Amino acid sequence: MIGIAKMGSSTKRVSTLALLILTTSIHAQTYIFGNFGLSGYSNKYSLTYTGTTTTNVISHNTKTGDASFGASGGIGHRLNFLPYYISLEAGTQTSPNQFEDNSKVTATTTDGTTALTVLSITEKFSNPIIAQIKLGYAMSKRMNVFIGGGIELAKFELAYEHLDFNRFATTPSASTSTFTATYDKTQRLPRFVAGAEYAITPQITWFTTLTYLNKSSIAAVADTNLSTDTQELKFSRKQINGRVGIVYFI
């Protein structure tokens, strides 16, 4: 009975101490942030064409991409329970440069013949709305590191068109046909982030961050020549942002 009483007393003291630590060490901070740096993205397109009995299966694999300077900003709310913290952020950023290209590519059919294609791709991005959560760890009084994840809501418009000088037949001919694919939707892009912060003053902190995004989609397609054919255009987008910026605690 004495041992049980002592155990209960010890448990109560530990619980009281833990509660005291939590209530005295947790505090909340609201802040605004802004950053700038390099943004780079790449899109990979994979067009699968299944023709009629006189044609073969064919695939076009095309890559596009661009790199440019960009900026982002927003507001956040941080809960500190040293040496850790959790931040909730919302904001936006500039979109990547629009990509437009007209080029000639070749594709190979299942029987080994080739088709010369004039390819036209136009990509247009809108500025996204960003929501993310970050978990940080204080390495010292001034410096901490963080990882996190979230989502970007951004509209992406695509116009994909090619003109075939050789139809995808066993014996290629000089006939032409046009294939078009369009995509105009608001995408939800998973967002992964990692970085570090260094406090300059109690209110101002500079930070550096690296963000990675990846998304796969399927575009609507139309063939103006052979309506009985089946086409499918899949594309995957990858984007990396490297930024430096300032956090200002309100």
Side-chain angles (χ1 to χ4, degrees):
M1 293 295 293
I2 296 177
I4 295 175
K6 288 184 177 180
M7 184 179 298
S9 178
S10 299
T11 303
K12 185 177 180 180
R13 284 197 298 268
V14 171
S15 301
T16 303
L17 180 61
L19 181 61
L20 179 63
I21 292 175
L22 288 175
T23 55
T24 56
S25 62
I26 288 182
H27 64 282
Q29 295 174 290
T30 300
Y31 59 90
I32 56 176
F33 66 90
N35 58 55
F36 68 95
L38 188 66
S39 295
Y41 83 93
S42 67
N43 272 350
K44 180 180 179 181
Y45 295 93
S46 177
L47 168 63
T48 300
Y49 170 90
T50 305
T52 62
T53 56
T54 60
T55 60
N56 294 307
V57 176
I58 188 171
S59 293
H60 291 170
N61 290 295
T62 306
K63 290 184 178 181
T64 65
D66 202 353
S68 60
F69 283 99
S72 63
I75 189 170
H77 190 72
R78 177 178 297 184
L79 295 176
N80 296 285
F81 46 102
L82 296 176
Y84 303 98
Y85 71 81
I86 293 177
S87 290
L88 300 175
E89 294 181 349
T92 186
Q93 69 178 17
T94 56
S95 60
N97 283 348
Q98 180 173 319
F99 180 91
E100 295 185 24
D101 183 53
N102 289 281
S103 59
K104 292 183 179 181
V105 298
T106 57
T108 304
T109 62
T110 53
D111 67 345
T113 58
T114 60
L116 179 63
T117 298
V118 175
L119 183 64
S120 174
I121 298 177
T122 301
E123 300 168 333
K124 186 177 180 180
F125 304 87
S126 65
N127 297 335
I129 297 175
I130 301 170
Q132 66 182 17
I133 183 171
K134 299 192 304 188
L135 175 62
Y137 173 74
M139 302 180 65
S140 66
K141 290 184 178 180
R142 289 182 177 268
M143 185 173 182
N144 62 66
V145 293
F146 60 84
I147 59 173
I151 194 169
E152 287 192 8
L153 297 178
K155 187 176 182 181
F156 176 65
E157 300 175 63
L158 166 68
Y160 180 104
E161 181 178 25
H162 69 72
L163 177 66
D164 304 308
F165 285 89
N166 290 308
R167 196 57 189 172
F168 311 139
T170 304
T171 303
S173 65
S175 63
T176 62
S177 67
T178 300
F179 172 92
T180 59
T182 58
Y183 186 91
D184 185 356
K185 293 182 179 180
T186 297
Q187 294 180 315
R188 295 182 178 89
L189 284 78
R191 175 183 175 91
F192 306 95
V193 61
E197 296 182 347
Y198 186 83
I200 302 174
T201 70
Q203 281 188 298
I204 299 177
T205 297
W206 78 265
F207 72 96
T208 178
T209 183
L210 184 67
T211 306
Y212 173 77
L213 303 97
N214 193 351
K215 178 70 174 181
S216 296
S217 303
I218 298 178
V221 298
D223 193 319
T224 59
N225 187 50
L226 298 176
S227 59
T228 58
D229 296 342
T230 302
Q231 306 85 17
E232 185 175 65
L233 179 66
K234 295 181 179 180
F235 62 95
S236 60
R237 173 185 170 191
K238 296 180 180 179
Q239 182 174 332
I240 297 178
N241 302 326
R243 304 282 174 82
V244 294
I246 294 293
V247 172
Y248 179 77
F249 293 96
I250 302 173

